[in-house]
């Protein structure tokens, strides 16, 4: 069976968020890191290609997004989804509007929606205005974002400033009447020459109704919320297997390890809980800066322990300790020294037979995934909100499958490192 839904996300964690939503809604999903070089398996319903195009120059963002679109078209996708942040992170130059228009042109369509709403996370749209919790986007912390400051909550105005076409609104009065009314309003807006419809949404029922109304649109542009409402269309058309377990992963065995380069508060608690129960090796940035072969020491220390139980390697430290390191080594140098060492340890561990690996920290995960030559991730069962188990997709098909859990710093309960293994079926 061909892939049904092709998604292009403008950053990595946004891609993970979307992929997780699709799996929950019953679509077997993989997330690819950048535009893939090769085709993927045929037991997949949705592919999310994660780019880093949110703040890159507009022309680069367009070129990358079009390359992703071409790959997804070749994979057989019937509908396409451009995923951006639920706070509509962009500037008057883009990149949301220009990328969406380029995708529309390539797909030969003149109409799509723009809906960053994600009510369970407090992102709602009313009369075209985006709210973050109880306040307007323009009154939220996003006003002071270093790269994409959002000083206007009117999505109609914000998007209109970015595009050549015309933006209209499907407001709450229409959305609350359901899919048929929304579809009729799409037609009216198109007759009025509109190319984009900002769609109000206050709750998940609204997202379901908007999703149903979008069944025939070649392109949908949205946050991850609309992912709730799209799978039903494929199911109704008989294009999804009924009652399938979308989060099943191929079996992975092997040894278990955790690598933590996150210094976030949640991770500090998780490291402390793990250290009480299992062996743990501390990575000292000063030793790294000194030129000590910490990686070799860490891998040698592992022997005799990892065969019996999961082991932890951590650079995680208190804010004071991190500040002291950064004061001496510089912020960037400290970061890259630690990331490189943890990535090298991950590589050594896999060579040693580790088949199930948890990584804590966004940047740390990026470094580890790169070192392991991971091209993509098949999304499996969720450990805690926003953190699923995955299996690595690599070009080297002779390799044993590796299960990876990539945890953003502040995610997960204190016992995350202890309980995660139990979620791997
Ligand atoms: P998070 O998701 O919590 O932000 P990241 O991995 O994205 O975690 O970022 C943490 C950064 O801090 C990484 O660049 C990592 O190398 C660095 N780091 C980790 N431990 C230390 C330490 N003890 N001293 C200085 N920097 C550290």
């Amino acid at each position: 069976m061909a892939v049904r839904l092709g998604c292009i996300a403008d950053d990595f964690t946004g891609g993970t968020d979307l992929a997780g939503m699709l799996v929950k809604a019953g679509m077997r999903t993989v997330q690819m890191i950048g535009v893939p070089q090769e085709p993927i398996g045929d037991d997949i319903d949705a592919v999310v290609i994660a780019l880093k195009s949110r703040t890159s120059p507009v022309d680069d963002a367009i070129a990358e997004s079009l390359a992703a679109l071409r790959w997804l078209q070749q994979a057989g996708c019937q509908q396409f989804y451009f995923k951006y942040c639920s706070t509509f992170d962009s500037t008057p130059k883009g990149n949301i509007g220009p990328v969406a228009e380029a995708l529309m042109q390539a797909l030969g369509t003149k109409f799509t929606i723009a809906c960053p709403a994600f009510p369970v996370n407090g992102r709602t749209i009313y009369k075209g205005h985006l709210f973050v919790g109880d306040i307007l986007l323009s009154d939220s912390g996003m006003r002071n974002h270093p790269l994409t400051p959002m000083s206007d909550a009117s999505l109609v105005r914000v998007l209109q400033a970015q595009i050549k076409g015309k933006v209209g609104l499907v407001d709450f009065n229409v959305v609350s009447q359901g899919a048929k009314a929304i579809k009729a309003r799409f037609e009216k807006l198109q007759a009025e020459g509109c190319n984009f419809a900002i769609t109000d949404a206050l709750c998940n029922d609204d997202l379901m109704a908007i999703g149903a109304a979008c069944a025939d649109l070649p392109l949908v542009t949205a946050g991850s919320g609309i992912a709730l409402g799209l799978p039903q269309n494929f199911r109704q058309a008989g294009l999804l297997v009924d009652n399938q377990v979308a989060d099943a992963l191929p079996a992975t065995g092997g040894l278990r390890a955790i690598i933590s380069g996150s210094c976030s508060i949640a991770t500090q608690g998780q490291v402390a809980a793990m250290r009480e129960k299992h062996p743990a090796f501390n990575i000292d940035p000063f030793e790294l800066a000194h030129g000590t072969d910490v990686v070799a020491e860490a891998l040698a220390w592992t022997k005799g322990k990892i065969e019996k139980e999961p082991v932890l390697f951590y650079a995680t430290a208190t804010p004071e300790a991190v500040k002291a390191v950064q004061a001496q080594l510089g912020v960037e140098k400290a970061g890259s020294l630690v990331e490189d060492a943890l990535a090298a340890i991950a590589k050594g561990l896999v060579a040693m037979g580790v088949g199930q690996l948890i990584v804590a920290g966004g940047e740390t995960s990026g470094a580890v995934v790169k070192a392991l030559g991971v091209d993509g991730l098949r999304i499996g069962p969720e450990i805690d909100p926003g953190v699923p188990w995955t299996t690595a997709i690599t070009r080297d098909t002779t390799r044993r499958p590796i299960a990876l859990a990539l945890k953003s710093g502040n995610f997960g309960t204190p016992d995350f490192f202890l309980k995660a293994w139990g979620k791997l079926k």
Side-chain angles (χ1 to χ4, degrees), residues 261-264 285 315-317 322 325-326 334-335 338-339 360-364 408-409:
S262 158
C263 299
S264 299
T316 307
V322 172
V325 169
Q326 289 175 336
V338 171
E339 282 167 33
E363 295 298 327
T364 309
S408 273

Side-chain angles (χ1 to χ4, degrees), residues 260-265 267 282-285 314-318 321-326 329-340 342 360-366 407-410:
S260 177
S262 158
C263 299
S264 299
I265 293 169
T267 309
N282 180 228
I283 310 292
D284 180 353
Y314 68 102
T316 307
T318 59
V322 172
K323 265 200 201 110
V325 169
Q326 289 175 336
L329 304 178
V331 176
E332 264 180 43
K333 169 111 188 283
S336 62
L337 265 178
V338 171
E339 282 167 33
D340 290 351
L342 292 176
E363 295 298 327
T364 309
S365 295
K407 189 192 81 73
S408 273
N410 264 324

